[in-house]
């Protein structure tokens, strides 16, 4: 191997290392930037998710204010209609957002029910839900609030 | 340079390249994993943000159902109280989540108001808001809904 050859080899080696180092540095910089952007986006996603729900709640607040006004003016029929409307709107909003009422028919299910009381009952099988004190709800596959129930003993 | 020397140099070179390549591959793999996790977390953050709001809305739905029942049983006083309670709860929920009513006193502001009508009025300066058809709201620094107003001409 000539000196020239060795020099060229070394030169090439240095250049290759520089290329690889450069790729490493660039990748590391990309990674850092990505991390920062991801953190910022998480914040924005939360704000945006809230904004969408908040936007949907405003017409419900409007209807409630109209109902309140009807109450103040003792327009009972309008008030009753208003309350029915607001209830329907809010129930639909929650349903649209994946909220479902927890079923309480049949046997007590500790995954979705919370027993407040066990009562001896003649005409119900032991372990059956006999009354619902507070409705429960799921959001997707998560229990947002268990149904609070009374169970037959 | 002896043949042995050249062989060793080449060997070392290959090993160094492997180390750098290995770092590059590992960093690239880390980056990929991070991207996947970030995407998953974004989904979870949205679900979580919604879950918090949904959780806060459930007691309001409960109160609405009680008000509805009072309406069905023609307990007008209870119904009126119920509506006032629901209104207060929802207004407070929105306020807690950064929602603010847009001020409509004084001059028309195209950034936060939407003019539905311009009316000639004797006792108001031109460009003044004289009536609010629908309240507007901001969330943080964003206008969720402009206030719909009538302006003096």
């Amino acid at each position: 191997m000539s000196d020239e050859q060795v020099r060229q080899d070394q030169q090439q080696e240095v250049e290759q290392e520089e290329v690889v180092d450069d790729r490493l540095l660039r990748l590391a910089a990309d990674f850092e930037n990505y991390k920062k952007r991801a953190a910022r986006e998480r914040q924005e996603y939360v704000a945006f998710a809230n904004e969408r729900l908040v936007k949907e709640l405003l017409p419900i607040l409007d209807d409630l204010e109209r109902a309140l006004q009807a109450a103040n003016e003792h327009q009972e029929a309008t008030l009753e209609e208003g309350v029915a409307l607001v209830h329907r709107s809010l129930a639909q909003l929650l349903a649209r957002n994946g909220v479902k009422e927890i079923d309480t028919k049949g046997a007590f299910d500790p995954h979705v029910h919370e027993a407040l009381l066990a009562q001896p009952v003649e005409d119900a099988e032991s372990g059956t839900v006999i009354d619902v004190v507070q409705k429960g709800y799921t959001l997707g596959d998560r229990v947002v609030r268990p149904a609070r129930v009374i169970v037959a003993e």
Side-chain angles (χ1 to χ4, degrees), chain A:
Chain A
M1 208 180 239
S2 70
D3 274 9
E4 176 59 13
Q5 181 69 41
V6 168
R7 210 196 52 75
Q8 277 184 4
D9 271 14
Q10 283 174 342
Q11 172 78 17
Q12 205 179 355
E13 190 183 326
V14 165
E15 277 170 4
Q16 272 178 357
E17 268 176 24
E18 275 172 359
V19 166
V20 174
D21 275 1
D22 204 47
R23 280 171 60 199
L24 203 54
L25 282 176
R26 222 162 16 177
L27 189 60
D30 282 353
F31 197 177
E32 265 315 298
N33 284 336
Y34 187 90
K35 277 187 189 168
K36 279 181 200 151
R37 204 176 63 231
R40 205 168 47 235
E41 278 180 0
R42 263 198 302 271
Q43 290 295 324
E44 285 170 0
Y45 266 69
V46 172
F48 180 77
N50 276 337
E51 182 170 339
R52 197 178 52 74
L53 254 185
V54 160
K55 220 170 200 159
E56 291 188 62
L57 284 171
L58 294 182
I60 297 180
L61 189 64
D62 293 340
D63 287 336
L64 265 172
E65 288 177 354
R66 272 190 283 270
L68 259 190
Q69 203 172 353
N72 289 337
E73 294 166 2
H74 300 288
Q75 301 174 343
E76 300 304 350
T78 311
L79 169 58
E80 287 184 21
E81 271 172 41
V83 172
L85 173 71
V86 170
H87 175 257
R88 207 164 45 237
S89 305
L90 184 59
Q92 283 171 353
L93 177 155
L94 290 170
R96 258 200 319 276
N97 283 281
V99 177
K100 281 201 188 76
E101 201 178 313
I102 290 171
D103 192 14
T104 50
K105 284 193 192 76
F108 175 76
D109 178 354
H111 296 104
V112 291
H113 301 150
E114 186 185 316
L116 293 184
L117 205 68
Q119 271 182 349
V121 192
E122 273 180 27
D123 56 348
E125 214 178 315
S126 175
T128 307
V129 172
I130 50 173
D131 204 4
V132 181
V133 178
Q134 191 183 46
K135 288 182 182 178
Y137 295 91
T138 52
L139 176 63
D141 51 3
R142 293 163 77 144
V143 175
V144 184
R145 189 174 81 182
R148 298 202 163 86
V149 299
I150 297 174
V151 183
E153 210 171 28

